[in-house]
Amino acid sequence: MTDAPMNRVLLSALPTLVLTAALSACGDTGSTAAPTSESPEAVQTTTERSSAPAGPPPMPQPAADGDCPYLDSDYVAQANGQLVRKVRLSADQPTPACFFYANATEVQLSVWVFQGEEATAKAVVDRAAPVADSSPASVPAGWQGGSLVGEQGAVYAVAKGGAAVVVTSNQRQTIKAREVASTAIEELGL
């Protein structure tokens, strides 16, 4: 065979040789065995993954018009200092999040009641009012969380056991959001 045809054969075989070498390097067949399902390493890893909190669920979104089952619109108008033009509810059951609108598009106040695992309830509160950025909140008695004021308004978020209540207001006063959170907790018997 002359050099030119031999070079063509080698060049055409080169991609296959490179791929075979790469696959061989990835498929290490050394004597170290992977942990079996009966080994302590596998059981411990599985336990650690299943006990880790999954984090807070996504924030609820308005899904349908309706009346808030635990807060009256007139009460919210008085507490937040704005007329309530409409109310929308999330699809969450049994306790939907309530969104109170100041006009056709602006949510003036929202209330989200989460009920589930204690670690998740705390994560819901920490996402809404991070410990590093908020003031401690402890109203009503036995509930813990945070409150803060930002560019968009105020947030008051507290948890107790597996329940969390997050109130956001377009007003820059946490006292209004705190009052609404306390009323929602009382109305729901949490």
Side-chain angles (χ1 to χ4, degrees), residues 37-73:
S37 62
E38 297 172 19
S39 72
E41 293 88 5
V43 172
Q44 183 178 21
T45 301
T46 303
T47 303
E48 288 173 1
R49 285 186 196 138
S50 64
S51 65
M59 299 289 288
Q61 298 298 315
D65 291 346
D67 293 325
C68 184
Y70 50 90
L71 289 174
D72 182 68
S73 295

mmCIF file of all heavy atoms in Angstrom, residues 37-73:
data_model
loop_
_atom_site.group_PDB
_atom_site.id
_atom_site.type_symbol
_atom_site.label_atom_id
_atom_site.label_comp_id
_atom_site.label_asym_id
_atom_site.label_seq_id
_atom_site.Cartn_x
_atom_site.Cartn_y
_atom_site.Cartn_z
ATOM 1 N N SER A 37 -27.057 -2.238 47.546
ATOM 2 C CA SER A 37 -28.182 -1.687 48.296
ATOM 3 C C SER A 37 -28.160 -2.143 49.745
ATOM 4 O O SER A 37 -28.825 -1.584 50.587
ATOM 5 C CB SER A 37 -29.501 -2.078 47.632
ATOM 6 O OG SER A 37 -29.626 -3.482 47.639
ATOM 7 N N GLU A 38 -27.347 -3.166 50.054
ATOM 8 C CA GLU A 38 -27.276 -3.648 51.431
ATOM 9 C C GLU A 38 -26.134 -3.005 52.204
ATOM 10 O O GLU A 38 -26.039 -3.149 53.413
ATOM 11 C CB GLU A 38 -27.098 -5.165 51.426
ATOM 12 C CG GLU A 38 -28.289 -5.876 50.803
ATOM 13 C CD GLU A 38 -28.034 -7.361 50.631
ATOM 14 O OE1 GLU A 38 -27.124 -7.886 51.292
ATOM 15 O OE2 GLU A 38 -28.744 -7.980 49.844
ATOM 16 N N SER A 39 -25.239 -2.301 51.516
ATOM 17 C CA SER A 39 -24.089 -1.728 52.211
ATOM 18 C C SER A 39 -24.501 -0.493 53.000
ATOM 19 O O SER A 39 -25.423 0.217 52.627
ATOM 20 C CB SER A 39 -22.993 -1.364 51.203
ATOM 21 O OG SER A 39 -23.379 -0.248 50.456
ATOM 22 N N PRO A 40 -23.800 -0.205 54.113
ATOM 23 C CA PRO A 40 -24.141 0.966 54.937
ATOM 24 C C PRO A 40 -24.035 2.279 54.167
ATOM 25 O O PRO A 40 -24.798 3.182 54.393
ATOM 26 C CB PRO A 40 -23.123 0.927 56.084
ATOM 27 C CG PRO A 40 -22.537 -0.438 56.073
ATOM 28 C CD PRO A 40 -22.738 -0.993 54.694
ATOM 29 N N GLU A 41 -23.062 2.366 53.217
ATOM 30 C CA GLU A 41 -22.904 3.614 52.479
ATOM 31 C C GLU A 41 -24.166 3.932 51.677
ATOM 32 O O GLU A 41 -24.628 5.055 51.647
ATOM 33 C CB GLU A 41 -21.695 3.555 51.526
ATOM 34 C CG GLU A 41 -20.354 3.467 52.229
ATOM 35 C CD GLU A 41 -19.953 2.020 52.521
ATOM 36 O OE1 GLU A 41 -20.657 1.077 52.106
ATOM 37 O OE2 GLU A 41 -18.924 1.830 53.164
ATOM 38 N N ALA A 42 -24.722 2.931 51.007
ATOM 39 C CA ALA A 42 -25.917 3.156 50.185
ATOM 40 C C ALA A 42 -27.110 3.517 51.046
ATOM 41 O O ALA A 42 -27.877 4.410 50.722
ATOM 42 C CB ALA A 42 -26.229 1.921 49.351
ATOM 43 N N VAL A 43 -27.271 2.858 52.180
ATOM 44 C CA VAL A 43 -28.402 3.149 53.064
ATOM 45 C C VAL A 43 -28.275 4.546 53.633
ATOM 46 O O VAL A 43 -29.225 5.310 53.655
ATOM 47 C CB VAL A 43 -28.491 2.090 54.192
ATOM 48 C CG1 VAL A 43 -29.516 2.497 55.215
ATOM 49 C CG2 VAL A 43 -28.809 0.727 53.608
ATOM 50 N N GLN A 44 -27.078 4.930 54.051
ATOM 51 C CA GLN A 44 -26.877 6.252 54.637
ATOM 52 C C GLN A 44 -27.141 7.348 53.602
ATOM 53 O O GLN A 44 -27.800 8.319 53.901
ATOM 54 C CB GLN A 44 -25.450 6.363 55.167
ATOM 55 C CG GLN A 44 -25.191 7.685 55.867
ATOM 56 C CD GLN A 44 -23.790 7.744 56.435
ATOM 57 O OE1 GLN A 44 -22.896 7.025 56.016
ATOM 58 N NE2 GLN A 44 -23.597 8.605 57.402
ATOM 59 N N THR A 45 -26.656 7.175 52.386
ATOM 60 C CA THR A 45 -26.867 8.175 51.350
ATOM 61 C C THR A 45 -28.351 8.340 51.057
ATOM 62 O O THR A 45 -28.857 9.439 50.961
ATOM 63 C CB THR A 45 -26.114 7.773 50.067
ATOM 64 O OG1 THR A 45 -24.737 7.653 50.383
ATOM 65 C CG2 THR A 45 -26.308 8.808 48.973
ATOM 66 N N THR A 46 -29.067 7.233 50.947
ATOM 67 C CA THR A 46 -30.497 7.285 50.687
ATOM 68 C C THR A 46 -31.225 7.987 51.814
ATOM 69 O O THR A 46 -32.074 8.829 51.584
ATOM 70 C CB THR A 46 -31.059 5.856 50.513
ATOM 71 O OG1 THR A 46 -30.330 5.236 49.460
ATOM 72 C CG2 THR A 46 -32.526 5.881 50.190
ATOM 73 N N THR A 47 -30.862 7.701 53.043
ATOM 74 C CA THR A 47 -31.500 8.330 54.193
ATOM 75 C C THR A 47 -31.238 9.825 54.198
ATOM 76 O O THR A 47 -32.135 10.611 54.434
ATOM 77 C CB THR A 47 -30.983 7.698 55.507
ATOM 78 O OG1 THR A 47 -31.220 6.305 55.452
ATOM 79 C CG2 THR A 47 -31.661 8.306 56.711
ATOM 80 N N GLU A 48 -30.001 10.225 53.895
ATOM 81 C CA GLU A 48 -29.685 11.651 53.888
ATOM 82 C C GLU A 48 -30.488 12.384 52.816
ATOM 83 O O GLU A 48 -30.985 13.465 53.057
ATOM 84 C CB GLU A 48 -28.191 11.852 53.649
ATOM 85 C CG GLU A 48 -27.339 11.464 54.835
ATOM 86 C CD GLU A 48 -25.859 11.520 54.525
ATOM 87 O OE1 GLU A 48 -25.473 11.878 53.403
ATOM 88 O OE2 GLU A 48 -25.081 11.194 55.418
ATOM 89 N N ARG A 49 -30.661 11.789 51.663
ATOM 90 C CA ARG A 49 -31.413 12.451 50.598
ATOM 91 C C ARG A 49 -32.882 12.580 50.951
ATOM 92 O O ARG A 49 -33.489 13.589 50.698
ATOM 93 C CB ARG A 49 -31.280 11.675 49.297
ATOM 94 C CG ARG A 49 -29.951 11.850 48.644
ATOM 95 C CD ARG A 49 -29.934 11.186 47.288
ATOM 96 N NE ARG A 49 -28.559 11.045 46.850
ATOM 97 C CZ ARG A 49 -28.071 9.979 46.265
ATOM 98 N NH1 ARG A 49 -28.827 8.954 46.016
ATOM 99 N NH2 ARG A 49 -26.806 9.930 45.915
ATOM 100 N N SER A 50 -33.462 11.535 51.541
ATOM 101 C CA SER A 50 -34.893 11.579 51.808
ATOM 102 C C SER A 50 -35.244 12.460 52.996
ATOM 103 O O SER A 50 -36.340 12.953 53.089
ATOM 104 C CB SER A 50 -35.443 10.166 52.027
ATOM 105 O OG SER A 50 -34.860 9.601 53.182
ATOM 106 N N SER A 51 -34.292 12.685 53.921
ATOM 107 C CA SER A 51 -34.606 13.504 55.080
ATOM 108 C C SER A 51 -34.335 14.989 54.837
ATOM 109 O O SER A 51 -34.720 15.817 55.636
ATOM 110 C CB SER A 51 -33.821 13.033 56.308
ATOM 111 O OG SER A 51 -32.435 13.241 56.090
ATOM 112 N N ALA A 52 -33.671 15.325 53.746
ATOM 113 C CA ALA A 52 -33.390 16.723 53.455
ATOM 114 C C ALA A 52 -34.683 17.423 53.027
ATOM 115 O O ALA A 52 -35.439 16.897 52.226
ATOM 116 C CB ALA A 52 -32.352 16.836 52.341
ATOM 117 N N PRO A 53 -34.948 18.620 53.591
ATOM 118 C CA PRO A 53 -36.172 19.326 53.200
ATOM 119 C C PRO A 53 -36.115 19.702 51.722
ATOM 120 O O PRO A 53 -35.083 20.052 51.190
ATOM 121 C CB PRO A 53 -36.182 20.565 54.095
ATOM 122 C CG PRO A 53 -34.808 20.695 54.635
ATOM 123 C CD PRO A 53 -34.164 19.353 54.562
ATOM 124 N N ALA A 54 -37.250 19.619 51.080
ATOM 125 C CA ALA A 54 -37.334 19.899 49.650
ATOM 126 C C ALA A 54 -37.358 21.397 49.362
ATOM 127 O O ALA A 54 -37.262 21.797 48.230
ATOM 128 C CB ALA A 54 -38.580 19.241 49.077
ATOM 129 N N GLY A 55 -37.485 22.212 50.382
ATOM 130 C CA GLY A 55 -37.582 23.652 50.168
ATOM 131 C C GLY A 55 -39.029 24.077 50.084
ATOM 132 O O GLY A 55 -39.935 23.248 50.020
ATOM 133 N N PRO A 56 -39.266 25.375 50.073
ATOM 134 C CA PRO A 56 -40.651 25.837 50.037
ATOM 135 C C PRO A 56 -41.299 25.580 48.685
ATOM 136 O O PRO A 56 -40.625 25.581 47.657
ATOM 137 C CB PRO A 56 -40.523 27.333 50.303
ATOM 138 C CG PRO A 56 -39.143 27.688 49.858
ATOM 139 C CD PRO A 56 -38.299 26.467 50.108
ATOM 140 N N PRO A 57 -42.606 25.364 48.694
ATOM 141 C CA PRO A 57 -43.315 25.205 47.420
ATOM 142 C C PRO A 57 -43.355 26.536 46.683
ATOM 143 O O PRO A 57 -43.089 27.590 47.269
ATOM 144 C CB PRO A 57 -44.718 24.760 47.851
ATOM 145 C CG PRO A 57 -44.869 25.262 49.244
ATOM 146 C CD PRO A 57 -43.497 25.257 49.840
ATOM 147 N N PRO A 58 -43.698 26.511 45.414
ATOM 148 C CA PRO A 58 -43.786 27.771 44.668
ATOM 149 C C PRO A 58 -44.832 28.704 45.281
ATOM 150 O O PRO A 58 -45.798 28.246 45.881
ATOM 151 C CB PRO A 58 -44.222 27.347 43.264
ATOM 152 C CG PRO A 58 -44.171 25.875 43.222
ATOM 153 C CD PRO A 58 -44.041 25.357 44.608
ATOM 154 N N MET A 59 -44.614 29.979 45.097
ATOM 155 C CA MET A 59 -45.581 30.969 45.570
ATOM 156 C C MET A 59 -46.899 30.753 44.837
ATOM 157 O O MET A 59 -46.898 30.520 43.629
ATOM 158 C CB MET A 59 -45.071 32.383 45.294
ATOM 159 C CG MET A 59 -43.771 32.727 45.988
ATOM 160 S SD MET A 59 -43.930 32.918 47.753
ATOM 161 C CE MET A 59 -44.803 34.440 47.827
ATOM 162 N N PRO A 60 -48.034 30.826 45.549
ATOM 163 C CA PRO A 60 -49.323 30.653 44.881
ATOM 164 C C PRO A 60 -49.605 31.817 43.942
ATOM 165 O O PRO A 60 -49.107 32.924 44.132
ATOM 166 C CB PRO A 60 -50.324 30.613 46.035
ATOM 167 C CG PRO A 60 -49.641 31.295 47.167
ATOM 168 C CD PRO A 60 -48.173 31.077 46.976
ATOM 169 N N GLN A 61 -50.417 31.538 42.945
ATOM 170 C CA GLN A 61 -50.785 32.543 41.952
ATOM 171 C C GLN A 61 -52.306 32.657 41.899
ATOM 172 O O GLN A 61 -53.017 31.673 42.104
ATOM 173 C CB GLN A 61 -50.256 32.143 40.573
ATOM 174 C CG GLN A 61 -48.746 32.041 40.509
ATOM 175 C CD GLN A 61 -48.059 33.352 40.802
ATOM 176 O OE1 GLN A 61 -48.454 34.397 40.282
ATOM 177 N NE2 GLN A 61 -47.028 33.321 41.634
ATOM 178 N N PRO A 62 -52.827 33.849 41.612
ATOM 179 C CA PRO A 62 -54.281 33.991 41.483
ATOM 180 C C PRO A 62 -54.790 33.138 40.330
ATOM 181 O O PRO A 62 -54.201 33.136 39.256
ATOM 182 C CB PRO A 62 -54.481 35.469 41.199
ATOM 183 C CG PRO A 62 -53.149 36.120 41.214
ATOM 184 C CD PRO A 62 -52.110 35.087 41.382
ATOM 185 N N ALA A 63 -55.884 32.403 40.576
ATOM 186 C CA ALA A 63 -56.420 31.505 39.547
ATOM 187 C C ALA A 63 -57.865 31.821 39.184
ATOM 188 O O ALA A 63 -58.276 31.581 38.052
ATOM 189 C CB ALA A 63 -56.310 30.058 40.014
ATOM 190 N N ALA A 64 -58.643 32.332 40.149
ATOM 191 C CA ALA A 64 -60.064 32.575 39.879
ATOM 192 C C ALA A 64 -60.587 33.684 40.776
ATOM 193 O O ALA A 64 -60.083 33.892 41.882
ATOM 194 C CB ALA A 64 -60.861 31.294 40.123
ATOM 195 N N ASP A 65 -61.604 34.385 40.306
ATOM 196 C CA ASP A 65 -62.273 35.378 41.137
ATOM 197 C C ASP A 65 -63.065 34.656 42.222
ATOM 198 O O ASP A 65 -63.510 33.525 42.024
ATOM 199 C CB ASP A 65 -63.230 36.225 40.299
ATOM 200 C CG ASP A 65 -62.508 37.144 39.329
ATOM 201 O OD1 ASP A 65 -61.287 37.338 39.477
ATOM 202 O OD2 ASP A 65 -63.169 37.672 38.407
ATOM 203 N N GLY A 66 -63.233 35.298 43.364
ATOM 204 C CA GLY A 66 -64.017 34.697 44.440
ATOM 205 C C GLY A 66 -63.913 35.506 45.707
ATOM 206 O O GLY A 66 -63.300 36.581 45.727
ATOM 207 N N ASP A 67 -64.515 35.003 46.784
ATOM 208 C CA ASP A 67 -64.434 35.632 48.099
ATOM 209 C C ASP A 67 -63.449 34.851 48.951
ATOM 210 O O ASP A 67 -63.491 33.617 48.981
ATOM 211 C CB ASP A 67 -65.812 35.631 48.774
ATOM 212 C CG ASP A 67 -66.807 36.525 48.055
ATOM 213 O OD1 ASP A 67 -66.386 37.584 47.534
ATOM 214 O OD2 ASP A 67 -67.999 36.163 48.005
ATOM 215 N N CYS A 68 -62.603 35.574 49.660
ATOM 216 C CA CYS A 68 -61.648 34.917 50.548
ATOM 217 C C CYS A 68 -62.432 34.227 51.668
ATOM 218 O O CYS A 68 -63.240 34.873 52.341
ATOM 219 C CB CYS A 68 -60.677 35.946 51.120
ATOM 220 S SG CYS A 68 -59.371 35.201 52.138
ATOM 221 N N PRO A 69 -62.209 32.935 51.898
ATOM 222 C CA PRO A 69 -62.995 32.214 52.901
ATOM 223 C C PRO A 69 -62.644 32.560 54.351
ATOM 224 O O PRO A 69 -63.394 32.213 55.248
ATOM 225 C CB PRO A 69 -62.698 30.746 52.600
ATOM 226 C CG PRO A 69 -61.409 30.736 51.867
ATOM 227 C CD PRO A 69 -61.324 32.049 51.143
ATOM 228 N N TYR A 70 -61.533 33.275 54.571
ATOM 229 C CA TYR A 70 -61.134 33.566 55.948
ATOM 230 C C TYR A 70 -60.888 35.050 56.212
ATOM 231 O O TYR A 70 -60.620 35.429 57.359
ATOM 232 C CB TYR A 70 -59.898 32.730 56.344
ATOM 233 C CG TYR A 70 -58.760 32.791 55.349
ATOM 234 C CD1 TYR A 70 -57.768 33.751 55.455
ATOM 235 C CD2 TYR A 70 -58.689 31.881 54.298
ATOM 236 C CE1 TYR A 70 -56.725 33.797 54.551
ATOM 237 C CE2 TYR A 70 -57.656 31.918 53.387
ATOM 238 C CZ TYR A 70 -56.678 32.875 53.510
ATOM 239 O OH TYR A 70 -55.646 32.919 52.604
ATOM 240 N N LEU A 71 -61.000 35.903 55.213
ATOM 241 C CA LEU A 71 -60.864 37.351 55.411
ATOM 242 C C LEU A 71 -61.908 38.085 54.573
ATOM 243 O O LEU A 71 -62.011 37.870 53.363
ATOM 244 C CB LEU A 71 -59.467 37.846 55.006
ATOM 245 C CG LEU A 71 -58.304 37.451 55.907
ATOM 246 C CD1 LEU A 71 -56.984 37.884 55.282
ATOM 247 C CD2 LEU A 71 -58.448 38.041 57.300
ATOM 248 N N ASP A 72 -62.654 38.958 55.210
ATOM 249 C CA ASP A 72 -63.676 39.755 54.549
ATOM 250 C C ASP A 72 -63.020 40.925 53.818
ATOM 251 O O ASP A 72 -62.088 41.557 54.334
ATOM 252 C CB ASP A 72 -64.671 40.257 55.612
ATOM 253 C CG ASP A 72 -65.786 41.049 55.008
ATOM 254 O OD1 ASP A 72 -66.601 40.444 54.290
ATOM 255 O OD2 ASP A 72 -65.826 42.277 55.255
ATOM 256 N N SER A 73 -63.520 41.244 52.640
ATOM 257 C CA SER A 73 -62.972 42.347 51.839
ATOM 258 C C SER A 73 -63.072 43.691 52.553
ATOM 259 O O SER A 73 -62.157 44.517 52.458
ATOM 260 C CB SER A 73 -63.690 42.438 50.491
ATOM 261 O OG SER A 73 -63.446 41.299 49.731
#
